[in-house]
Amino acid sequence: IVFPLQRLERCLAPGVDTAPFRLFQPGLAALQRAEALFTSGRGHPIDYVSSAVRTDHAPPPALPEVCFIGRSNVGKSSLIRALFSLSPEVEVRVSKTPGHTKKMNFFKVGKYFTLVDMPGYGYRAPQDFVEMVEAYLQERRNLKRTFLLVDGVVGLQKTDHVAVEMLEEFGIPYVMVLTKIDRAARGLLLKNVLEIQEFVKEKTQGCFPQLFLVSSLEFSGVHLLRCFVAHVTGNLPAVEAS
């Protein structure tokens, strides 16, 4: 549940480099700290703040921020809802229609960080998607990490390559998250993992070498991703996340 890559590791041929599987291996204390951050309570509200179509409409950049981008129908809003599942009062709209998210949606996690749900690219993307997203990525000075979501069933697509090129061009630190891992056969999932790892190693500069695997339905990998978000926003002691 916490480390989905460990299950896949058993299926690999001897000699395959699995070092990138375990670059981020937090302990129990760090996982518990992250769960506490994602659990709303008295004095620690987790709220949808606002939506924006332009950066000058966005909330003030007062807190560390992370954003989630990906193709339409990659499961972005479903994953954000899973991350916030410990605080069910937080409303993250999930539509059966691809391309439902047309604006940047901002969620404030207490006094610690902000999480942004970006519009999907590709099919039914907003007309001004490129203008909106490029401006956000270039101008948002409090952005600590961008999470690029890739469909675990189909792997990297042409539109994902365009997103990678944009992040690389702007020098934005990012990490790839493989979604819907419950829908992919193990062999197909492992093939996609290894291909993306090779792509990250050979073709990228700003991507974190470890790929994060998640299932919003089964919650696999969600605990680890919460912990990584807490880490990159400066809310975990470095020793806990080493």
Side-chain angles (χ1 to χ4, degrees):
I1 289 291
V2 180
F3 302 108
L5 280 168
Q6 285 185 348
R7 186 177 60 184
L8 287 180
E9 193 173 353
R10 304 179 196 133
C11 306
L12 288 170
V16 174
D17 180 18
T18 59
F21 280 25
R22 54 171 75 82
L23 296 174
F24 183 71
Q25 293 262 39
L28 181 59
L31 291 164
Q32 290 173 331
R33 167 66 175 160
E35 293 223 339
L37 285 172
F38 279 88
T39 305
S40 60
R42 184 176 295 179
H44 179 58
I46 299 177
D47 296 312
Y48 160 78
V49 179
S50 65
S51 297
V53 292
R54 299 208 312 261
T55 51
D56 53 356
H57 293 164
L63 296 173
E65 197 159 277
V66 294
C67 76
F68 285 67
I69 67 172
R71 286 189 307 114
S72 298
N73 203 34
V74 76
K76 183 164 40 64
S77 296
S78 295
L79 175 56
I80 292 172
R81 187 166 66 175
L83 289 169
F84 285 135
S85 62
L86 299 170
S87 302
E89 71 279 6
V90 179
E91 185 179 358
V92 182
R93 294 180 181 177
V94 178
S95 173
K96 293 181 180 178
T97 306
H100 179 74
T101 304
K102 300 295 185 184
K103 301 177 180 180
M104 300 179 285
N105 297 318
F106 292 78
F107 299 87
K108 188 177 177 183
V109 180
K111 60 184 180 183
Y112 297 99
F113 63 90
T114 305
L115 188 151
V116 189
D117 183 4
M118 304 292 282
Y121 51 76
Y123 175 69
R124 294 192 66 183
Q127 193 170 0
D128 55 353
F129 172 83
V130 172
E131 184 180 336
M132 183 196 312
V133 174
E134 283 193 357
Y136 170 85
L137 292 173
Q138 287 184 293
E139 297 171 14
R140 200 68 175 167
R141 63 181 183 272
N142 59 328
L143 180 63
K144 299 301 181 185
R145 196 67 55 112
T146 295
F147 290 82
L148 175 59
L149 275 54
V150 177
D151 192 315
V153 178
V154 299
L156 279 174
Q157 301 293 294
K158 287 183 180 178
T159 46
D160 298 320
H161 284 274
V162 173
V164 167
E165 288 169 10
M166 179 175 63
L167 292 165
E168 291 284 334
E169 181 184 343
F170 296 158
I172 306 290
Y174 63 104
V175 59
M176 287 197 200
V177 180
L178 209 57
T179 63
K180 305 180 183 179
I181 63 170
D182 54 283
R183 297 188 188 178
R186 189 170 295 185
L188 175 62
L189 185 60
L190 192 56
K191 172 180 171 287
N192 287 335
V193 166
L194 295 176
E195 284 181 356
I196 293 172
Q197 274 193 177
E198 186 65 20
F199 171 80
V200 168
K201 181 180 177 182
E202 300 293 333
K203 305 289 186 181
T204 72
Q205 298 290 326
C207 187
F208 186 66
Q210 181 171 327
L211 181 64
F212 288 79
L213 275 59
V214 294
S215 164
S216 301
L217 187 65
E218 299 176 348
F219 287 90
S220 299
V222 171
H223 306 79
L224 186 66
L225 193 59
R226 283 190 192 123
C227 205
F228 193 71
V229 169
H231 173 51
V232 296
T233 54
N235 292 296
L236 279 183
V239 67
E240 288 188 332
S242 60

